[in-house]
Amino acid sequence: MSGTTAKQHPLSLSAEDRARVEEVDQLARRGPESLPVLVDGLDASSWAVRRAVVSALARLGTASVEPLCEVLRHRRDNEARIAAAVDALVAATGEVEGPVELLGDDPNPAIVCDAAQVLGRRRSRRSVPLLARLIVHPDDNVAVAAIEALGRVGGGAAVDALLSSLGSGNFFRIFPAIDVLGRSGDPTVVPALMALLSDPFYVLEAARALGRTGQEAAVPALVGLLQRGNDAVVRVAAVALVEIHDAQVQRFGGARTVPSVLRSSSAEPHPTGRRLAQVIAGADAGEKTAVARLLGWVGGADAATGLLKLLDSQDLGVSRAAAAALGELGAEADAQILQALREGDSSRRRVLLPLVGKRSAAVPDVLLCLEDRDATVRALAAETLSRIGDTSAVPALFARLSDEDPRVSQAVVGAIQSLGSETTESLALEAARSSDSRQRRAALRIVAYFGYPRGLDALLLAMRDPDERLRDAAIYGLPFIDDPRAVDALLAAASHESERTRATAMRALGQTDKQARITSTLLGGLNDRDPWVRYYACQSLGKLNEEAAADAIVALANDDAGQVRVAVVDALAHMHTESAMAALRRAASSADADVRRAALLGLGVARRPDALPVLLEAVHSEDPATRLVALSAVAEYDAPETLPALLRAAGDRDDSVRSAAVGFLATRTGSHATQQLVSLLGDVMLREQVVSALALPVEGRLPGLMAALEAADDSTAPLLVAALARMRRADAKAALMQSLIGASPAGRRASAPAVAALGTVEAREALDKAAHRDEDPEVRRACLLALGR
């Protein structure tokens, strides 16, 4: 048999390959009588046909096991055949372990390696005694295969066997054993791995493995390496500590063990911050990122100095980590940051300005950056002054209103609006009379934002200016000034000869109060020759909820301009007349995607029961953006159909739709919604988001999690416990304590370290009780480890 592509991709199969794959399927349907032919197909030159053969043999179950074992014993002249036979045994149903275990006594080490691989990939707990025996096999390859297999199987017996291999004295076996033990995540491996930290030959690999365990018991030993290890050891220890911290946060929420131990160990004469800063040279990007995070936790002048060096890294991840760490240092780093700000060039200032703290002492140095030649720096300086909140900077900000770069001008206006001050009004009115059009426009925006009554004359004057941009700025501000002259000016602008000015006026009228003359003007705008005037007239009628205009708005549903059709739908969504709702339902099936999505949003806002079928149908649209909009509308309904629709969407082929579905499920109350979220934990792509969703303490969440823990297995139990621990609430902590009693064995094992992390007397008493009375030996063992015994 031969072919080139798997059956799951028929469009890329040649006619010959398609025929070969179909032949394999027919053979599989005939049952065991086809075994000889199928076994002969294990060495097909086509990967696709080989996959089909493997699948067929696996489905035949027990009947295929012995023939496959015979392939491993006697037909070893083809590597592809051997690999396919192993894959088939791994996937096979029925009784597999017994015949494969017999291969473990074969005199050929290669056959024994294959057997170990099969048993490991099948995660066969019954095969642990055989695998434990194989780790002392005379052949190193067999021993390594057994070590890797035990790592896949996991569990206490497998870990015990792996720990014994550390004393073999054979580094070919010790190195893989260290790696596998670290990846096991089992707390029992920590003491043995820590013992290897004193051996120069194994210290690096042992430190890496301790990081992979994610166990906080390893933290003091790793912190000790920071002070006594060489540069390579310090860098590896830094990465390991970050791994443990992240694992603890993922499991239990705001874990602070690593930062607190680092802080307590950073005293003279061997300050940890200085030692970490010394190893930056020669570190790779991952190590620099880890060092940066540790420096942020350690604190102090040495840490700030080291982090400033890392800010210049060409690797974006490193520089971001350094910036975040400097931000975490807070006031400790202020002096160094401000000095670097004064002395640095534009590129350095771009990185430093977001890190400046909220202290008035920083204002003079930040003001210097307002004069930087780089527009990005000037804009960041304005944003920083806004964040500091010192109004003494307002006059200097006004001096930059006429900046030639629009980004800077916008940032300066935003800062002035944020700060306010006693002098802002007078400075704004003065700038509004400037001969510089840029400064004048910016000043008008400030007058509009604050709604200064004394600024009306400046706005009215600008309305007569030939510069359209000045008129726009003035029109924007008129609705916010309580004076009849402001409305009069807007109504006059609505009939201006400039289409842009008319459109801006129509938009501004939507910010006013509902009045007959305003409605009349807006209705007239629906018939304007310019589509943007019609667009804003329609939009403003919707904002004013002018239901009397519904029929006139519906008349524009087939407007030639797409933006007008969208505005029609948006306006109708604000109204509750039958004609408006009927128009929305029609628009939901429009050929125009923008109109269709706007209609779906409008129907969702209305929450009318008769609109739900339309929304549910749209959830199955071919267009991901439409599915997303429809899903958000469906989520607004408290209807029996909502939860199933959200669950189906969690399996959507589009990432954004899947993510949104989980987010909507997260906020649904009731234990049934929790059960649906728990069912998604098997999806690796969604797992972290689902755990975060489960950690949201809505009504019904705790009962749902506790019910799930009663049946949890080894894969889901740690995730459910992590969700409980992240809630950080009294009732969630009580639920964790209860899970030591009422959860499944896997749930009780997973709960032990989380209960220990509570750090209360009651928690230790509960662990001590479970450590002596639980019926499951693995649970008792986990509780003892959590107690540090």
Side-chain angles (χ1 to χ4, degrees):
M1 299 181 207
S2 64
T4 56
T5 321
K7 188 182 179 185
Q8 289 82 351
H9 303 282
L11 293 179
S12 58
L13 280 173
S14 68
E16 180 182 359
D17 281 350
R18 198 174 297 116
R20 297 292 187 185
V21 170
E22 180 59 33
E23 178 187 346
V24 171
D25 288 343
Q26 291 175 0
L27 288 168
R29 285 193 288 270
R30 293 176 190 167
E33 67 181 73
S34 300
L35 272 171
V37 180
L38 288 171
V39 170
D40 286 342
L42 286 171
D43 58 0
S45 59
S46 164
W47 179 89
V49 177
R50 230 170 30 248
R51 287 292 85 200
V53 170
V54 166
S55 178
L57 287 167
R59 292 197 303 272
L60 288 176
T62 303
S64 68
V65 173
E66 191 55 46
L68 288 167
C69 288
E70 285 300 303
V71 168
L72 295 181
R73 285 191 183 97
H74 304 300
R75 301 181 63 183
R76 304 192 61 85
D77 58 318
N78 184 297
E79 289 294 332
R81 182 192 301 128
I82 295 171
V86 167
D87 289 345
L89 285 168
V90 169
T93 58
E95 172 55 36
V96 177
E97 276 75 7
V100 173
E101 286 176 356
L102 292 176
L103 298 177
D105 293 320
D106 197 278
N108 185 344
I111 296 174
V112 181
C113 287
D114 291 338
Q117 183 185 166
V118 171
L119 296 171
R121 288 171 61 185
R122 289 181 67 88
R123 291 176 168 80
S124 173
R125 289 189 179 272
R126 63 161 273 180
S127 304
V128 168
L130 168 65
L131 295 170
R133 178 162 53 85
L134 292 179
I135 64 174
V136 295
H137 193 279
D139 187 277
D140 285 336
N141 291 325
V142 172
V144 170
I147 288 169
E148 292 174 349
L150 286 167
R152 287 177 180 270
V153 174
V159 168
D160 288 342
L162 288 166
L163 287 170
S164 68
S165 69
L166 294 182
S168 67
N170 184 330
F171 70 90
F172 286 116
R173 305 181 185 200
I174 294 175
F175 274 111
I178 291 173
D179 178 64
V180 169
L181 286 168
R183 295 182 191 281
S184 73
D186 193 307
T188 61
V189 309
V190 172
L193 292 174
M194 287 196 301
L196 295 174
L197 294 179
S198 59
D199 189 325
F201 196 64
Y202 297 115
V203 60
L204 291 176
E205 195 62 29
R208 291 189 185 97
L210 286 168
R212 295 185 189 113
T213 67
Q215 300 297 324
E216 64 178 28
V219 171
L222 289 169
V223 170
L225 288 182
L226 298 181
Q227 298 176 337
R228 70 173 186 272
N230 59 35
D231 288 1
V233 169
V234 171
R235 290 193 285 264
V236 169
V239 173
L241 286 165
V242 167
E243 284 188 295
I244 291 174
H245 172 79
D246 289 348
Q248 293 291 307
V249 169
Q250 187 177 30
R251 292 173 192 167
F252 311 129
R256 298 293 295 174
T257 301
V258 174
S260 62
V261 174
L262 280 169
R263 285 270 186 177
S264 63
S265 70
S266 191
E268 296 285 355
H270 302 294
T272 306
R274 185 179 307 169
R275 184 69 187 99
L276 287 167
Q278 290 170 348
V279 304
I280 291 173
D284 62 27
E287 292 166 343
K288 286 179 179 177
T289 300
V291 168
R293 293 182 64 183
L294 262 60
L295 286 171
W297 296 331
V298 169
D302 291 322
T305 301
L307 288 169
L308 286 170
K309 293 178 182 177
L310 288 170
L311 281 178
D312 296 326
S313 173
Q314 297 299 310
D315 186 280
L316 187 59
V318 174
S319 58
R320 284 178 175 172
L326 277 167
E328 192 166 340
L329 288 181
E332 288 184 286
D334 277 355
Q336 291 96 323
I337 289 175
L338 294 180
Q339 180 179 352
L341 201 64
R342 287 191 299 272
E343 300 172 355
D345 58 12
S346 297
S347 60
R348 172 57 71 91
R349 287 174 167 179
R350 281 198 298 270
V351 178
L352 289 171
L353 280 167
L355 307 178
V356 173
K358 299 180 180 180
R359 297 178 62 191
S360 296
V363 169
D365 294 311
V366 179
L367 287 175
L368 288 175
C369 298
L370 273 180
E371 307 300 324
D372 195 278
R373 62 181 181 180
D374 187 315
T376 300
V377 173
R378 298 197 299 276
L380 285 171
E383 294 168 3
T384 303
L385 290 168
S386 172
R387 187 174 68 251
I388 293 172
D390 190 324
T391 58
S392 66
V394 169
L397 287 166
F398 266 97
R400 298 302 314 181
L401 279 181
S402 58
D403 196 286
E404 65 275 8
D405 191 293
R407 294 173 299 166
V408 179
S409 178
Q410 183 176 353
V412 167
V413 169
I416 292 171
Q417 291 172 344
S418 173
L419 291 169
S421 76
E422 295 179 356
T423 62
T424 297
E425 181 176 2
S426 59
L427 290 170
L429 294 176
E430 180 182 353
R433 295 189 295 270
S434 170
S435 59
D436 186 304
S437 60
R438 287 194 299 266
Q439 186 174 18
R440 191 178 175 193
R441 284 198 306 273
L444 291 175
R445 288 167 58 195
I446 295 169
V447 169
Y449 178 83
F450 288 107
Y452 294 132
R454 288 200 301 142
L456 179 58
D457 290 338
L459 296 176
L460 294 176
L461 179 63
M463 291 290 291
R464 299 191 294 271
D465 198 280
D467 187 334
E468 283 189 328
R469 292 176 296 176
L470 274 174
R471 293 201 300 272
D472 284 352
I475 291 171
Y476 172 78
L478 289 171
F480 305 108
I481 295 183
D482 187 16
D483 191 305
R485 291 181 298 162
V487 176
D488 292 341
L490 281 176
L491 294 172
S495 59
H496 197 280
E497 62 182 12
S498 165
E499 295 170 342
R500 173 172 172 169
T501 298
R502 293 201 307 277
T504 306
M506 293 293 176
R507 182 181 185 183
L509 286 170
Q511 305 292 328
T512 61
D513 297 327
K514 189 188 299 186
Q515 300 177 24
R517 58 179 182 156
I518 291 175
T519 300
S520 176
T521 299
L522 290 172
L523 285 169
L526 295 179
N527 299 313
D528 196 278
R529 64 180 181 274
D530 183 73
W532 285 108
V533 176
R534 300 196 299 276
Y535 171 87
Y536 284 118
C538 188
Q539 188 183 74
S540 291
L541 285 167
K543 287 180 178 179
L544 294 174
N545 196 21
E546 188 59 78
E547 293 191 358
D551 291 340
I553 291 172
V554 169
L556 290 179
N558 296 316
D559 195 280
D560 292 337
Q563 70 267 39
V564 176
R565 296 195 296 273
V566 172
V568 167
V569 173
D570 182 62
L572 293 175
H574 291 82
M575 303 175 184
H576 303 288
T577 64
E578 284 303 320
S579 60
M581 288 299 104
L584 279 178
R585 285 193 291 271
R586 289 194 300 272
S589 58
S590 169
D592 186 317
D594 291 331
V595 171
R596 186 168 63 250
R597 289 193 284 268
L600 293 170
L601 281 174
L603 290 171
V605 170
R607 297 189 192 179
R608 289 171 58 111
D610 57 351
L612 183 56
V614 178
L615 297 169
L616 289 170
E617 181 181 355
V619 171
H620 300 288
S621 168
E622 287 298 317
D623 175 45
T626 299
R627 295 200 301 276
L628 185 59
V629 168
L631 191 68
S632 65
V634 169
E636 296 293 327
Y637 284 78
D638 186 14
E641 301 91 339
T642 301
L643 204 56
L646 294 176
L647 186 63
R648 285 193 300 272
D652 195 275
R653 58 186 179 275
D654 183 79
D655 290 343
S656 59
V657 177
R658 288 200 304 274
S659 179
V662 174
F664 293 135
L665 282 169
T667 59
R668 308 293 295 189
T669 59
S671 59
H672 187 50
T674 298
Q675 293 168 10
Q676 302 288 32
L677 279 169
V678 170
S679 71
L680 298 174
L681 287 172
D683 188 331
V684 177
M685 299 296 293
L686 290 175
R687 185 169 293 165
E688 176 54 33
Q689 188 184 359
V690 171
V691 173
S692 297
L694 288 169
L696 193 66
V698 299
E699 181 187 346
R701 181 71 83 232
L702 283 178
L705 286 172
M706 294 304 291
L709 272 168
E710 290 177 6
D713 58 20
D714 287 330
S715 62
T716 59
L719 303 173
L720 296 171
V721 169
L724 277 174
R726 291 187 196 181
M727 288 186 190
R728 304 181 69 78
R729 289 162 43 112
D731 51 358
K733 293 176 181 177
L736 278 174
M737 300 272 285
Q738 180 61 32
S739 67
L740 271 180
I741 303 171
S744 67
R748 301 200 299 276
R749 288 195 298 273
S751 298
V755 171
L758 297 178
T760 63
V761 174
E762 294 80 5
R764 291 192 65 83
E765 289 176 349
L767 286 167
D768 187 70
K769 183 177 180 180
H772 290 90
R773 299 185 185 179
D774 196 281
E775 61 184 18
D776 188 294
E778 293 292 336
V779 175
R780 297 196 298 271
R781 180 180 187 177
C783 291
L784 287 171
L785 285 167
L787 289 165
R789 298 176 186 171

